[in-house]
Amino acid sequence: MKQVFKSSCPLNCWDSCGFEVTVEDGKVIKVEGDKDHPITKGKICGRGRMLETKTNSKERLTVPLKKVNGIFQEISWKQALDEIAEKMKELKQNFGPASVLHSHDYANNGLLKNLDKRFFNSFGGATSLVGSICWGSGIEAQIWDFGSSDSHAPDDIFHSKHIVIWGRNVARTNMHLFQQLQDAKKRGSTITVIDPIYNATAKISDHYISIKPGMDGLVAIGVMKYLISENKQDVEFIKNYTVGYEDLISLLNHFTLEEILGQAEISFEDIKYIAELYAYGPTTTYLGLGMQRYSNGGNTIRLIDALVAISGNVGIPGGGANFGNIQVGKNFNVQALTLPEKATSTRTFSMMKQADGVLEAMDPKIKMIIVTCGNPLVQVPDSNKIIRAFQSVDTVVVIDHFLTDTAELADYVLPTTTVFEEEDIYYASMYHHYVNYGEKLVEPPGEAKSDLWIWTELAERLGFGREFSYTRDEYLEMATAHLCDKGITLDRLKEEKRVPLPVNHVPWETKKFSTPSGKFEFTSELGFNKELEGKPQYIYPKESTISNPGLAEKYPYQLLSIHPLRSNHSQHYLLIEGMQTVKIEVSEDIAKEKQLADGDKVTIFNDRGKLTGDVKILKKAHANTINVDEGQWHKFGGSVNLLTPDDVSDNGQGSTLYDCLVNIKKTD
Ligand SMILES: Nc1nc2c(c(=O)[nH]1)N[C@H]1C(S)=C(S)[C@@H](COP(=O)(O)OP(=O)(O)OC[C@H]3O[C@@H](n4cnc5c(=O)[nH]c(N)nc54)[C@H](O)[C@@H]3O)O[C@H]1N2
Ligand SMILES: Nc1nc2c(c(=O)[nH]1)N[C@H]1C(S)=C(S)[C@@H](COP(=O)(O)OP(=O)(O)OC[C@H]3O[C@@H](n4cnc5c(=O)[nH]c(N)nc54)[C@H](O)[C@@H]3O)O[C@H]1N2
Ligand code: SF4
Ligand SMILES: [Mo]
């Protein structure tokens, strides 16, 4: 018998969609959009739809594996858990809990996925990762400026006269915002896209501005200079609600407009065009995450925030500097789930630098790595270093659905459940403010078990089983109990499936900011408190003709590695045969200079590594730009992270993935 259930997309994505899932004879047979979802309204992308393929895939891991003499053997759960727990016990006793590294990312938006941290905290601590490859610097930048990184509610876009999409690949990564853009355009708003790549969002825009990668902060400086020279700044807002304006002015005075135009490779007309958009608002800005994956990423976001602020577009309907929406996640009591107070011995590595950490840390050395919700061999910068680091450790345990590149390198691989095989609630602190419920719909294949089951079994063997003696409902209650006052109960969530969380639909409307001064801070006290430069500044990208001409001579092209259309990071490549080759996209000038045509084999290379693939010419991209979509598996040709740097950005422990120079040659 066929039955249709409401469920939710668990993928790390802006949109956090509602699903309708058809189940027949205990099997998921179709995943579609839930028309009743107030934001996602029945539309979902291929990545979501393919969760059916993923769940039913023959390639799924269904039994625990142990590597013996280099070959994986199937073992029982009892053996796997007994052996892993025994090793952890020994390591804790001999070297302390920090000899175990918990390597993870955020591949699943389920609230209960946070229980991995409860496990490691109850273990007494571990070496854990801090910072974020994804959006670390931008979030920190907005915390410095506003006190939080909060976005306007999706429908507020209809109050905007102008919409600026600044470094966000909306058509590809944020499909419901793309729909809103098309609707807003029909209602008369203008759309401007600022991006080095002429992407599908640029195609629907009124104006596309091509920008040299990593130079957005400088462009924002140019725009502010012009705006102020035309006396179009919001004097009242600046006077009453900001601090540090004089520091901003002295930064603006540091650059001439000529320097800006030359270095950012942008025309005066474009600077003027952007300035006028902001002067005659309300103008909303949707900032992307790609643009802050540079060594200057935090300051890039800070300078665009400053532009939004001085033009009077903060705290008004139709305005805003929309980056993350962390007010959504703040509704949950994650601490109650993770028990941070239980950890007595901890050490942290920055997420970017986990390889260096593993290779260099002493006292204690890393003896074991446990990987959850992440595929570091593919997704973390400088793959060659990551591979060396993981190979150097005695025991690697990977919990996943598939034998990923990371899992291939492990000593133990534990098969886990997909979204439809366990109950959870899902939200993304990125775009909208609805939380979605997803119940367990089918049994997992073979012996696959949920992450939570695995933590519970290991906790019992390690002597802290009582911390895991709760039902799923009890954990969900722990994290949502305080929401009852606001009328949000677990029962209501189970009944209604999608519930709006209390958030500000127009952040900072009261002009009371959550910064130490209560004002918008051009000069950040939090920055100074962290012994960083709190004044606004412009730093050049680390790998650029300006800051490192020697390197740029050897490696003249800027390598971007943006998110793939049909895969969520590395998650769909295995399921889509057509994606299992490396595609190297080059701007037209590079193709001309190197006499390249579509389909030619080329190798891109730098001091960190090399990658070979087929050329595709990127129409209208900024000069000297190459892109390779991230997420490709090493076994299908190689991840672009073979080339990317593992540096940490200027603030917030963000990544510098796109701050990357390469050269290119034809391959025979
Ligand atoms: N299809 C798909 N959607 C996804 C994901 C996915 O893997 N696949 N991942 C999800 C996740 S986790 C995230 S973090 C988001 C990311 O969402 P986005 O921010 O939209 O995506 P990115 O690929 O990080 O980069 C976006 C854009 O930044 C541009 N860019 C790069 N450098 C610069 C620069 O210096 N200046 C400017 N102005 N633009 C620049 C790129 O050309 C690209 O168009 O997407 C989410 N949605
Ligand atoms: N060069 C380059 N690198 C990038 C980026 C880029 O733009 N360029 N983007 C960065 C960004 S924004 C992000 S967010 C990261 C994402 O990095 P990751 O989160 O590591 O990438 P994913 O491929 O989404 O997922 C990793 C693994 O988690 C597994 N997984 C999914 N659900 C579960 C679950 O419930 N339990 C367990 N145990 N495992 C699960 C998947 O099967 C997959 O193998 O990549 C970063 N890396
Ligand atoms: S991946 Fe994103 S757009 Fe696609 S279904 Fe999931 S939440 Fe929606
Ligand atoms: Mo991300």
Side-chain angles (χ1 to χ4, degrees), residues 246 261 277 315 349 417 544 569 619:
E246 36 330 310
L261 302 180
L277 291 177
F349 294 161
T417 42
S544 76
H569 308 297
K619 298 259 161 59

Side-chain angles (χ1 to χ4, degrees), residues 125-333:
T127 297
S128 58
L129 299 179
V130 291
S132 161
I133 303 180
C134 173
W135 64 357
S137 35
I139 294 288
E140 180 80 356
Q142 294 215 314
I143 291 174
W144 289 14
D145 297 342
F146 300 97
S148 183
S149 178
D150 297 342
S151 286
H152 286 231
D155 276 352
D156 187 59
I157 200 168
F158 300 122
H159 296 123
S160 308
K161 195 160 162 196
H162 304 297
I163 303 163
V164 179
I165 304 297
W166 203 324
R168 192 184 301 189
N169 199 356
V170 179
R172 188 185 275 204
T173 66
N174 190 184
M175 65 177 285
H176 297 92
L177 174 57
F178 192 59
Q179 183 65 51
Q180 297 285 92
L181 289 182
Q182 289 164 300
D183 294 348
K185 193 172 172 174
K186 277 191 206 128
R187 296 189 191 192
S189 312
T190 77
I191 301 171
T192 301
V193 169
I194 308 176
D195 202 296
I197 297 180
Y198 182 73
N199 54 29
T201 319
K203 286 184 190 148
I204 67 150
S205 69
D206 298 274
H207 194 68
Y208 165 64
I209 294 175
S210 170
I211 187 166
K212 184 176 158 75
M215 305 308 278
D216 304 81
L218 197 59
V219 167
I221 290 176
V223 174
M224 286 189 272
K225 276 177 88 77
Y226 179 79
L227 202 96
I228 294 169
S229 73
E230 294 289 302
N231 227 354
K232 290 282 190 275
Q233 72 277 34
D234 185 335
V235 178
E236 281 304 299
F237 180 82
I238 294 168
K239 190 169 129 224
N240 295 322
Y241 306 114
T242 73
V243 293
Y245 186 60
E246 36 330 310
D247 294 331
L248 179 69
I249 295 298
S250 69
L251 174 68
L252 303 189
N253 289 338
H254 192 77
F255 294 92
T256 66
L257 213 46
E258 289 64 41
E259 277 170 338
I260 295 169
L261 302 180
Q263 294 179 355
E265 299 174 6
I266 190 170
S267 68
F268 173 71
E269 287 65 39
D270 279 341
I271 293 277
K272 186 168 166 227
Y273 186 90
I274 304 172
E276 284 173 356
L277 291 177
Y278 283 95
Y280 304 103
T283 299
T284 184
T285 309
Y286 284 88
L287 298 147
L289 308 191
M291 148 175 92
Q292 43 93 63
R293 297 193 192 112
Y294 290 84
S295 41
N296 61 3
N299 277 285
T300 296
I301 302 299
R302 293 205 71 206
L303 289 165
I304 300 174
D305 288 349
L307 165 61
V308 175
I310 71 160
S311 59
N313 284 296
V314 165
I316 60 163
N322 304 289
F323 180 77
N325 202 8
I326 60 176
Q327 55 177 341
V328 175
K330 286 178 188 163
N331 280 293
F332 300 100
N333 185 355

Side-chain angles (χ1 to χ4, degrees), residues 7 52 159 163 166 236 316 338 346 361 482 515 558 571 631 660:
S7 180
E52 177 272 311
H159 296 123
I163 303 163
W166 203 324
E236 281 304 299
I316 60 163
T338 59
T346 52
H482 59 292
T515 53
Q558 182 99 35
Q571 294 199 45
C660 178

Side-chain angles (χ1 to χ4, degrees), residues 9 11 13 15-17 19 44-45 47-48 175-176 568:
C9 186
L11 297 173
C13 174
D15 295 64
S16 195
C17 291
F19 284 165
I44 60 168
C45 77
R47 292 166 289 147
M175 65 177 285
H176 297 92
N568 224 57

